[in-house]
Amino acid sequence: MADDLALLLRRAGFGPTAAELAAAKKAGYDATVAALTAPTAPDVGASLAPVPVLGPDPLSGLSSPTVAQRAKASEERWRQTARITQWWLDRLTVADHQTREKLWFFWHGHWATSVRKVLRPQLMLTQHRTLRSSLDFAVMAHKMITDPALVFWLDGESNTRTAPNENLGRELMELFMLGIGRYSEQDVKAAGRALTGWRIDYDGARTFFSPGWHDNGAKTILGTTKNFDAHSLVDFLLKQDRCAAFIAERLWFRYASSTDPIPKSTRDAMVAVFPNSMSMLRKLFEDDAFRASAGRLVKQPTEWFVGAMRHLGLRPGELSDEMSTYVLNGLERLGQLPFAPPSVEGWPAGAEWLTVGAAQARLNLAGRIAQLVPAQRLTPEDVAHVLTIETWTNRTYAALKATTDPQHLLTIGLASPEYLVT
Amino acid sequence: MDAVTRRRFLLASGVVGGSALVAGAAKLSLGGLLHTAGEASAREDHRKTPKLVIVTLYGGNDGLNTVIPYASRAYYAARPELAYEPERVLRLDDALGLNPMLKGLSSLWGEQRLAVVLGAGYPKPDRSHFRSMDIWQSASPSGPTSSGWVGRWLDGTKAAPEAAVSFEPMLPPLLAGETRTGACVSIGGLKLPTGITPDMIGVLGRREPNESELQARAADAYANLININQLIRDAEAASAAPEVTVQPESPATSTGGSNVLSAQLLRVAQCVEAGVPTRVYSVSLGGFDTHASERIGHEFLLRQLDQALTSFAGRLSRTEAGRQVTTVVYSEFGRRVRANASDGTDHGTAGPVLVLGSQVAGGLYGEQPSLTDLDDGDLKATTDFRDVVGTLLAEVLQADPARYIGGGYEPKMLPFLARD
């Protein structure tokens, strides 16, 4: 029971503090699930890190910028990107409604869009706000299909009646709504045609519809022929049986096990409450298969870092500039920088985070984080308490016994296999 | 999509979760590899053994703008903004020419060390990046398998992990077998936070009874890290050890910049010259998913590819060990014949495979797919890519292709490797 609760809190959020874990143990599993998935109190913690306001893009209003203006703009955009990334890490750390924050992080990885191509942090932030304001998957899918960052990322703005671009239509079906192999190449082409006509107003950070660019002809998608457009396509895909099942599978993959497939009964329970994603999570957390999935997930680098901040009572928003830069570089070396997923498929999972290169990067970042904690006498048991580890394995205990330096103890604790794998 | 990374394929293929991987992949470092070169006489033997370097271009390279059918009217009609004028292409014959960025490869062609296999693909092409890449790496067009063709060769020959090595951060499905896998070799020396000793990390790297497989693998990563440190020190201590280039600490913040492929190939060359027992190397270059504004991006990538391959080939040609190396370059699919509205191309089908090296009989192999007889806008493959794989298995690895390709397929040998 106690182990179940630790597992639940680790998976639902970014890492419970010792106090949160103690409170949950008092409340019990069912009440904790309810509190996590339907928080009633306002999120006081999150109010410490309000969504930043970036102001206009540096090239906004310039129809033909000079080389110097472009260079300056690119530098400014880079600064703005660092700012929103640091902000998000801070927000993930201070928010009380951990389950919500983690779910938004999940959706970012699902509709994976990278600032590396989008370039404008304003568009990334617009997408981020949109994900936050979408109460269920259906609303989200409708908003995403015309989201300026996603449309730009998948070349949707240059998808026209005369020469369609398939990129957005393909990934809509393959990665966002149905899963691979649930459609034909003809469906991809037809979906591309349905999505024609959307263009981007960069200065306004919005998309708009140009009827003249839209293909008005009949399209046959998954056996249904009609004059599909972006929204009727999304509606149509939402009604496919595969859509709800696919989203349930993705949630399982990220919250329960990156290696074992979702049991059918678990999936059915989640599908029944689609498209409300928080309800789907609740069904997942209540499922026996979830409780039995301990040890099947590796923390993503962002989870690991934010968890460390929470456990040690630190705030990403209060780090020195030098340390902030080190953190962003460290997360990049570990393979996960928010707002910059490696591809439209989002981030990898499981053992892929456990490379030798990542082991070295993690040790060094752990070492720097530990230095931020004021030195005080610590035992291995104290470190376990702070990091909410139930018991150390013999191996890690032996490694911890090799030092008495508190910062070295924390470094080893943060890098330990039992801290990395939930 | 900007850059399709390898991770996508690894993840989706399911190979990374395979039992063989869990059992002990990625336990070797460059230092370790050099270490395995062993005694001088053994090293000398290894220098005389044929070796294969597999270069994967992730994202779907535009074959038609790599090996250009410059005499075809249909080529210019289908992609007016993307097509290269006949004067600019580097001619291979009176119909085909290389992209102007491929100057180095053009020289290799002149020296008859470059073979171009035309129209390579497989029946019923899949245009999903990862499924198509899975098909190429597993050499199994009929359905997904959990092993790569090099991995099955490792299984079949009961080879040691160092027989097949990847210089990429993660193991490609290509090198994963059912019971054995190749090794992912990382480079660079060990850097630890002050006060954290290699001994502590070594302890942290011990597996525990009854811990979950992922947790055990987390421990393995630390054990491997320490192993690497020790082996690199050993290798550096040995006079024969080539110089190890350490990757810069801070990552590039922009796409592009450092030539990732060059760095990987440099390490391959060092290992080949040092006489390590590796028979197959896997390296890669990503970013070929050029849906929009393709020309600039594609040229940038082809220039990188050309520079990396040319300097690699030049270096290899100077040593006997290097002359035993055959390099093959492929991508999961080509692009659509017709450009899209964004001056890019969408996912297509067949494309050229390049084979280069001192053992290669330069020339064109197979038939250029027709640009007028298309399959719903896509090229029809003229060469089964398994013929390329089969030829490499037979000629470079001296293995029975039918055994490792499977599915009842009988490869037809392509004569692009001229043995002495």
Side-chain angles (χ1 to χ4, degrees), chain B residues 313-368:
Chain B
R315 176 167 176 163
L316 292 184
S317 69
R318 291 194 284 275
T319 61
E320 190 194 345
R323 288 191 289 274
Q324 303 305 319
V325 173
T326 298
T327 303
V328 60
V329 185
Y330 77 100
S331 191
E332 72 265 38
F333 41 58
R335 316 293 297 184
R336 199 68 51 77
V337 176
R338 189 165 144 78
N340 60 28
S342 3
D343 292 336
T345 46
D346 292 313
H347 301 178
T349 52
V353 171
L354 309 179
V355 191
L356 50 141
S358 297
Q359 307 292 322
V360 169
L364 297 172
Y365 293 86
E367 209 181 306
Q368 176 67 9

Side-chain angles (χ1 to χ4, degrees), chain A residues 78 116-117 153-155 158 160 162-167 170-171 174-175 180-181 185-186 189 253 258-259 295-298 329 332-335 342-345 347-356 359-360 362-364 367 371 393-396 398-399 402-403 408 411-412 415-418 420-421, chain B residues 1-5 7-12 16-17 26 125-131 169-170 186 189-196 200-201 203-208 211-215 217-219 221-222 224-225 228 249-255 289 291-292 336 338-342 346-347 376 378:
Chain A
W78 188 88
R116 293 280 161 76
K117 176 174 175 179
W153 164 242
L154 294 173
D155 309 307
S158 47
T160 72
T162 46
N165 184 309
E166 292 172 6
N167 212 8
R170 178 185 303 280
E171 305 306 7
E174 177 171 338
L175 297 175
I180 187 162
E185 282 303 308
Q186 291 309 320
K189 289 180 187 176
F253 182 74
S258 62
T259 51
R296 312 289 167 82
L297 273 187
V298 180
N329 285 339
E332 172 141 29
R333 272 196 291 277
L334 286 170
S343 83
V344 63
E345 203 183 33
W347 284 287
E352 288 204 61
W353 295 122
L354 303 175
T355 64
V356 169
Q360 170 153 340
R362 194 184 304 111
L363 277 165
N364 283 299
Q371 281 170 22
T393 57
N394 291 335
R395 148 205 63 226
T396 304
T403 179
H408 300 166
T411 304
I412 292 170
S416 67
E418 42 272 62
L420 278 176
V421 176
Chain B
M1 179 166 55
D2 200 15
V4 173
T5 65
R7 284 195 168 129
R8 173 163 179 189
F9 308 113
L10 298 182
L11 243 192
V16 288
D126 195 306
R127 290 164 192 79
S128 157
H129 288 291
F130 75 77
R131 186 148 295 176
M170 280 160 302
S186 73
L190 183 67
K191 283 190 219 83
L192 290 177
T194 45
I196 302 296
M200 292 177 197
I201 303 308
V203 171
L204 207 56
R206 294 203 295 245
R207 282 188 173 214
E208 285 279 325
E211 71 183 327
S212 83
E213 198 52 53
L214 285 174
Q215 200 169 299
R217 292 198 60 186
Y222 294 116
N224 295 340
L225 185 62
I228 284 166
E249 167 93 356
S250 66
T253 46
S254 61
T255 48
D289 195 24
H291 281 272
R336 199 68 51 77
R338 189 165 144 78
N340 60 28
S342 3
D346 292 313
H347 301 178
D376 196 18
D378 273 322

Side-chain angles (χ1 to χ4, degrees), chain A residues 160-395:
Chain A
T160 72
R161 182 167 47 85
T162 46
N165 184 309
E166 292 172 6
N167 212 8
L168 180 56
R170 178 185 303 280
E171 305 306 7
L172 180 70
M173 294 197 280
E174 177 171 338
L175 297 175
F176 304 148
M177 294 188 72
L178 297 182
I180 187 162
R182 308 293 176 163
Y183 49 84
S184 71
E185 282 303 308
Q186 291 309 320
D187 296 328
V188 169
K189 289 180 187 176
R193 291 173 53 213
L195 297 176
T196 51
W198 287 92
R199 299 164 69 187
I200 300 169
D201 162 16
Y202 293 100
D203 290 355
R206 65 183 192 98
T207 50
F208 62 99
F209 185 67
S210 258
W213 288 36
H214 178 66
D215 183 336
N216 259 319
K219 301 117 191 153
T220 302
I221 300 175
L222 302 170
T224 296
T225 304
K226 65 184 228 183
N227 177 12
F228 282 107
D229 62 15
H231 290 296
S232 58
L233 171 62
V234 166
D235 271 331
F236 176 71
L237 295 178
L238 283 166
K239 288 196 197 91
Q240 304 300 309
D241 290 346
R242 267 307 300 170
C243 183
F246 176 65
I247 298 304
E249 285 161 9
R250 297 308 296 168
L251 287 165
W252 168 270
F253 182 74
R254 285 292 172 189
Y255 280 88
S257 171
S258 62
T259 51
D260 304 339
I262 185 171
K264 188 177 174 304
S265 59
T266 313
R267 192 176 65 196
D268 290 347
M270 294 171 75
V271 163
V273 293
F274 178 84
N276 184 320
S277 41
M278 194 55 99
S279 300
M280 292 176 85
L281 268 190
R282 181 172 182 156
K283 290 290 177 193
L284 174 62
F285 295 154
E286 286 168 354
D287 201 283
D288 288 344
F290 173 78
R291 298 195 193 199
S293 69
R296 312 289 167 82
L297 273 187
V298 180
K299 284 182 189 169
Q300 301 176 58
T302 298
E303 278 179 84
W304 174 82
F305 169 75
V306 170
M309 292 276 117
R310 288 175 58 76
H311 288 139
L312 300 178
L314 299 165
R315 272 190 68 174
E318 290 172 351
L319 301 177
S320 68
D321 288 351
E322 192 265 337
M323 185 60 191
S324 275
T325 305
Y326 189 91
V327 165
L328 294 189
N329 285 339
L331 286 176
E332 172 141 29
R333 272 196 291 277
L334 286 170
Q336 188 174 56
L337 200 52
F339 292 117
S343 83
V344 63
E345 203 183 33
W347 284 287
E352 288 204 61
W353 295 122
L354 303 175
T355 64
V356 169
Q360 170 153 340
R362 194 184 304 111
L363 277 165
N364 283 299
L365 185 51
R368 290 294 298 268
I369 293 170
Q371 281 170 22
L372 300 172
V373 181
Q376 51 182 304
R377 192 176 275 280
L378 283 178
T379 63
E381 290 74 17
D382 296 334
V383 178
H385 178 73
V386 168
L387 301 183
T388 66
I389 298 284
E390 283 94 52
T391 45
W392 295 119
T393 57
N394 291 335
R395 148 205 63 226

